């Protein structure tokens, strides 16, 4: 696993059924573009998060394909509908095959 | 003008035509409308390494972002699932120089819509 | 000649300067861009201030005799001296220095005697710009301003103290630190330390003051010094804040702005519902507000030279009328407030001897303000060329820095007045001719882009050893031509490397001696400074 990769998400703890909520996500990752050279003039190989998904109770909210033009520490903000109480799952896919995930519960009152 | 014809003239900036090519590949050469996509970008980037960009296109199934002054134009594609509320997303992108950010939305009926915004990337310095 | 006109000064009194026919039910007091100037100084207004696009020929882009004609100001009058350029050295001899926060205190107390609940607002660029501000990391300004009891402030150069020091000072601030456009960079959320607005209940009405910090801080100044923050104009959020305060019962909306004047004009036209914009950053001083739609814009000068009083009549949920006055702080006419004067002396005492040291004399008027080189800048560029052994010098187009008149000593404090900053290292490097053109084009577009939202509010980078032609009417990439190495008279070769010395780089890790030491060493060698006329920039398309 690449070192120092840490996902963070902001999801409200509660909502009313059918509410629209705003979700923000960050993951610490250098997003090496594959276009930079090291001090010896050699290309530094590409190493990025190439996909991010957010799901709720098994249904998809957003599925993002990332290219090297996405900044260091990829950030996403989007809106989801919350039909019932349950769990958001967030998954990041690294070029090196690693997968990082985190989850947040939300209670519908 | 089609991307192919422009490329054959050989007079357009290389990167901009790469974006035209990438968009043509996405749309299969279909016409692209305007007016349904809102692209939010700063007039001037505070930091070209991390420029906040927001897109919204009600009725879109996916939105693809391009940066026409970067060596590789593709930036990201957002596919919206059944629990996506608004068809909107924000992220932060790298811009190597002053250029256009382009958003192409694929709508539920298979048609395409676009929006474009110029973002200035400056050397900076000086101030009152 | 000039001396005869100065007879008028004999009759100038404090009562005249403060005279005001109290109006309405609320008073605002605005001071901005003090840049650390605790004591009276000379400050020459610009003779070149070019407006572009929709602001061509509009105030504040009118200077000198055109300005006096526009406002009906008599030649040689106090307003001539305070508000416009021309005959500056002679008028300065007669009218004396301006500013001094002890005199400012007298004016504020007089207004409060008339209207006890007047709202005092500081537009920012306060904690920066002098020897003592640098040495105390702005503790001097913090202490003296607190003695004036402001109600709120906003920010620009303050952030160049670095985030840690800004946090330390703001957390102790006994009044509101406002900025609707100061955001946390990580989550893109409003920064908790800087509320967007504050509500005041005064004169039987509710007034909202919304803060607007300098939008281009991370571009114009080193963003590595305050990496936690994002700024920007954020006029959509401004509009949301105006709606929010109106919904909360505000009958009058005041924006305490560090946008710069042309940006304020555009913001007033884009964001509905603002009654008053108190305008800072571009250091403009106008004898009356500018009206954009229903919004009045009040610019209040810089360096402690002016205080604005704005009386408002607020009734039935709206602003019905206003009366305002830009009060020039003639330091020989307005009596210093004893309490604040002794506080200022106490702040300065530990540094008094080193500040007062005479480094040289000047035969020439030394000033900075203007779109292109001022004489102070010419002297700084000469110092860089000579002390750093360079072919070309670059000096930032900042708008602060007091003037010196012919015959004055140049003290160490005077040098700090035009150089003091937290990133003053004088670098020495090589640029290609091509890159030099890119730099000039980039900076020129930050000033002469016809859309004010692309203007960062600095003046043009000053050059030494390098001449050029600029067509301000052209787009970026086409403004600069005829770049010439003055030493040889040869055109700048895009492919050649040139040795360039400069200061105030926004890049982290810039190395070199502090600019004030470079300038001091140069002046010591000269003894007496004489700055000859600078014709190296040919400006067209005005
Ligand atoms: Mn200022
Ligand atoms: Mn400023």
């Amino acid at each position: 696993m690449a070192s120092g990769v840490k996902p963070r998400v902001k999801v409200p703890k509660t909502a009313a059924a059918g509410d629209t909520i705003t979700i923000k996500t960050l993951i610490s990752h250098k997003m090496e573009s594959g276009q930079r050279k090291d001090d010896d003039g050699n290309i530094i190989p590409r190493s990025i998060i190439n996909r991010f998904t957010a799901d709720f109770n098994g249904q998809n909210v957003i599925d993002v394909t990332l290219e090297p033009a996405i900044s260091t520490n990829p950030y996403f903000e989007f809106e989801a509908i919350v039909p019932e109480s349950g769990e958001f799952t967030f998954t990041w896919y690294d070029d090196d095959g690693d997968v990082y995930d985190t989850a947040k519960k939300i209670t519908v009152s | 003008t089609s991307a192919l014809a422009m490329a054959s003239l050989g007079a357009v900036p290389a990167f901009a035509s790469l974006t035209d090519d990438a968009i043509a590949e996405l749309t299969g050469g279909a016409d692209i409308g305007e007016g349904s996509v809102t692209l939010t970008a700063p007039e001037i980037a505070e930091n070209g390494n991390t420029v906040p960009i927001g897109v919204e296109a009600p009725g879109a199934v996916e939105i693809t972002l391009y940066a026409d002054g970067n060596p590789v134009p593709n930036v990201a594609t957002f596919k919206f699932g059944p629990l996506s509320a608004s068809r909107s997303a924000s992220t932060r992108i790298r811009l190597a120089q002053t250029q256009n950010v382009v958003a192409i939305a694929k709508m539920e009926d298979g048609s395409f819509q676009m929006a474009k915004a110029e973002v200035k990337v400056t050397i900076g310095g000086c101030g009152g | 000649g000039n001396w005869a006109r100065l007879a008028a000064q004999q009759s100038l009194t404090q009562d005249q300067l403060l005279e005001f026919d109290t109006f309405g039910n609320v008073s605002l007091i605005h001071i901005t861009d003090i840049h650390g100037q605790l004591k009276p100084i000379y400050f020459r207004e610009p003779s070149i201030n070019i407006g572009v696009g929709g602001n061509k020929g509009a105030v504040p882009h009118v200077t000198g005799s055109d300005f006096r004609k526009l406002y009906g100001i008599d030649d040689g009058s106090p307003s001539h001296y305070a508000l416009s350029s021309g005959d500056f050295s002679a008028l300065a001899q007669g009218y004396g220095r301006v500013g001094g926060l002890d005199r400012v205190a007298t004016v504020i107390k007089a207004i409060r005697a008339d209207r006890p609940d007047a709202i005092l607002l500081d537009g920012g660029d306060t904690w920066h710009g002098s020897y003592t501000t640098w040495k105390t990391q702005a503790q001097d300004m913090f202490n003296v301003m607190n003695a004036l009891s402001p109600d709120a402030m906003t920010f620009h150069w303050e952030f160049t103290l670095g985030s840690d020091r800004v946090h330390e000072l703001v957390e102790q601030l006994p009044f509101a630190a406002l900025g609707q456009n100061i955001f946390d960079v990580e989550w893109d959320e409003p920064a908790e330390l800087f509320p967007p607005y504050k509500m005041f209940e005064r004169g039987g009405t509710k007034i909202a003051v919304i803060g607007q910090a300098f939008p281009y801080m991370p571009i114009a100044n080193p963003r590595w010094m305050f990496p936690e923050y994002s700024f920007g104009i954020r006029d959509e959020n401004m509009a949301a804040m105006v709606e929010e305060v109106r919904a909360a019962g505000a009958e009058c909306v005041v924006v305490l702005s560090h946008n710069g004047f042309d940006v304020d004009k555009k913001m007033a036209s884009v964001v509905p519902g603002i009654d008053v914009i108190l305008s800072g950053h571009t250091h403009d001083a106008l004898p009356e507000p500018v009206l954009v739609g229903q919004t009045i814009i009040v610019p209040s000068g810089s360096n402690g030279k002016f205080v604005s009083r704005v009386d408002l009549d607020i009734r039935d949920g709206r602003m019905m009328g206003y009366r305002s006055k830009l009060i020039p702080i003639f330091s020989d006419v307005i009596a210093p407030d004893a309490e604040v004067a002794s506080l200022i002396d106490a702040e300065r005492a530990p540094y008094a001897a080193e500040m007062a040291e005479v480094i040289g004399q000047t035969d020439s008027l030394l000033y900075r303000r203007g779109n292109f080189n001022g004489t102070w800048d010419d002297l700084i560029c000469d110092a860089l060329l000579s002390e750093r052994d360079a072919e070309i010098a670059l000096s930032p187009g900042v708008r602060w820095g007091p003037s010196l008149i012919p015959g004055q000593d140049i003290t160490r404090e005077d040098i700090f007045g035009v150089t003091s900053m937290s990133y003053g290292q004088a670098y020495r490097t090589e640029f290609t001719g091509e890159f030099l053109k890119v730099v000039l084009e980039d900076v020129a577009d930050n000033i002469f882009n016809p859309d004010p939202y692309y203007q960062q509010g600095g003046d043009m980078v000053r050059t030494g050893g390098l001449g050029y032609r600029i067509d301000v009417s052209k787009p970026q990439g086409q403004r600069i031509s005829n770049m010439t190495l003055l030493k040889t008279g040869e055109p700048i070769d895009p492919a050649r490397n040139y040795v360039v010395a400069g200061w105030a780089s926004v890049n982290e890790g810039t190395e070199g001696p502090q600019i004030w030491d470079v300038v001091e060493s140069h002046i010591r060698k000269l003894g007496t400074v004489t700055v000859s006329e600078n014709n190296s920039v040919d400006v067209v398309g005005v």
Side-chain angles (χ1 to χ4, degrees), chain C residues 446-499:
Chain C
N446 293 337
I447 303 159
F448 300 116
N449 190 304
D451 181 346
Y453 278 13
Y454 287 85
Q455 296 168 7
Q456 291 168 31
D459 282 316
M460 187 66 186
V461 61
R462 281 58 167 125
T463 58
L466 173 70
Y468 62 92
R469 182 174 198 259
I470 178 167
D471 185 339
V472 300
S473 67
K474 292 271 170 42
Q476 184 170 1
Q478 295 171 33
R479 291 191 181 96
I480 308 294
S481 62
N482 296 10
M483 288 170 65
T484 306
L485 187 67
L486 296 177
K487 193 169 64 177
T488 62
E490 287 169 5
I492 294 291
D493 175 356
R496 205 197 114 182
N497 275 318
Y498 294 87
V499 177

Side-chain angles (χ1 to χ4, degrees), chain B residues 43-47 92 118 120-128, chain C residues 125 157 185-186 219-220 223 230-232 281 283 398 442 445-446:
Chain B
E43 289 90 359
I44 307 179
E46 290 188 352
N47 178 354
R92 293 169 188 158
E118 190 185 49
K120 187 176 167 184
V121 179
T122 164
I123 300 168
C126 304
Chain C
D125 278 353
W157 277 85
V185 82
E186 191 167 54
I219 303 166
R223 68 168 176 266
S230 167
F231 299 85
H281 179 62
H283 293 195
V398 296
D442 189 85
D445 197 58
N446 293 337

Side-chain angles (χ1 to χ4, degrees), chain C residues 142-436:
Chain C
F142 181 90
N143 294 345
V144 174
M145 287 304 289
N146 283 353
L148 305 183
S149 302
D151 291 287
M153 77 179 285
T154 193
F155 303 90
H156 172 192
W157 277 85
E158 286 76 9
F159 277 80
T160 66
L161 292 165
S163 298
D164 289 350
R165 181 62 173 157
V166 170
H167 295 165
E168 188 175 39
L169 290 175
V170 170
E171 279 161 11
Q172 300 172 54
L173 214 53
F175 51 88
L178 302 179
Q180 71 85 19
N181 59 336
I182 308 179
F183 273 56
D184 157 66
V185 82
E186 191 167 54
W187 293 103
D188 192 34
E189 288 168 2
E192 279 177 25
L193 197 56
F194 302 94
Y197 59 83
K198 184 172 164 104
M199 302 283 274
F200 295 91
E201 291 200 29
R202 303 285 166 93
T205 186
K206 269 190 182 175
I207 303 116
V209 176
I210 306 177
Q212 173 80 351
F214 178 51
Y216 294 120
M217 212 119 40
I219 303 166
N221 304 96
R223 68 168 176 266
W224 60 268
M225 292 182 164
F226 40 89
E228 304 91 338
Y229 295 104
S230 167
F231 299 85
I233 296 172
R234 298 183 189 260
D235 51 14
E236 287 175 13
N237 195 57
M238 177 64 84
M241 292 302 104
V242 173
E243 280 184 30
E244 190 172 308
V245 298
R246 291 275 183 200
E251 296 186 278
C252 175
V253 176
V254 176
V255 172
L256 178 61
S257 168
H258 205 93
N259 273 333
F261 196 82
D262 290 352
V263 178
D264 282 328
K265 276 176 74 180
K266 180 167 172 181
M267 178 173 267
S269 72
V270 170
V271 178
I274 301 172
D275 295 303
V276 180
I277 299 181
L278 301 172
S279 181
H281 179 62
T282 38
H283 293 195
D284 311 294
L286 298 179
E288 57 194 50
V290 168
L291 190 67
V292 175
Q294 300 287 307
T295 307
I296 60 166
I297 306 178
V298 181
S300 305
S302 68
N303 289 270
K305 190 176 170 183
F306 299 97
V307 169
S308 281
R309 173 175 178 179
V310 185
D311 279 20
L312 305 172
D313 179 15
I314 301 160
R315 271 180 289 140
D316 307 326
R318 55 182 293 229
M319 186 173 106
M320 310 295 279
Y322 69 92
R323 182 172 294 157
S324 74
K325 184 173 183 179
L326 181 72
I327 303 166
I329 310 297
F330 283 92
S331 69
D332 295 338
V333 179
I334 295 171
D337 176 82
E339 192 185 327
V340 174
S342 66
L343 180 56
I344 290 170
D345 287 344
E347 294 296 336
R348 290 167 55 86
Y351 311 98
E354 60 216 62
M355 281 197 287
E357 190 177 331
V358 174
I359 311 301
Q361 284 76 37
T362 183
D363 273 351
S364 305
L365 168 65
L366 296 178
Y367 67 92
R368 172 172 277 148
R369 256 325 295 285
N371 287 150
F372 301 95
N373 284 40
T375 46
W376 256 126
D377 305 300
D378 291 336
L379 179 60
I380 291 168
C381 284
D382 283 348
L384 285 163
L385 292 174
S386 163
E387 297 289 315
R388 301 291 283 149
D389 190 24
E391 295 175 283
I392 290 167
L394 300 177
S395 188
V398 296
R399 296 185 167 218
W400 40 269
S403 312
L404 294 182
I405 61 174
Q408 268 194 278
D409 285 338
I410 305 174
T411 65
R412 184 168 290 124
E413 178 173 22
D414 296 328
I415 295 172
F416 269 78
V418 288
T419 57
S420 173
M421 61 162 62
S422 58
Y423 51 107
Q425 288 82 2
Y427 61 84
R428 183 179 189 276
T429 187
E430 292 194 357
F431 287 168
T432 62
E434 186 182 13
F435 186 67
L436 276 165

Side-chain angles (χ1 to χ4, degrees), chain C residues 102-113:
Chain C
D102 46 6
R103 277 78 169 177
V104 166
T106 299
V107 171
I108 290 168
K109 283 183 182 177
I111 298 171
R112 282 180 172 151

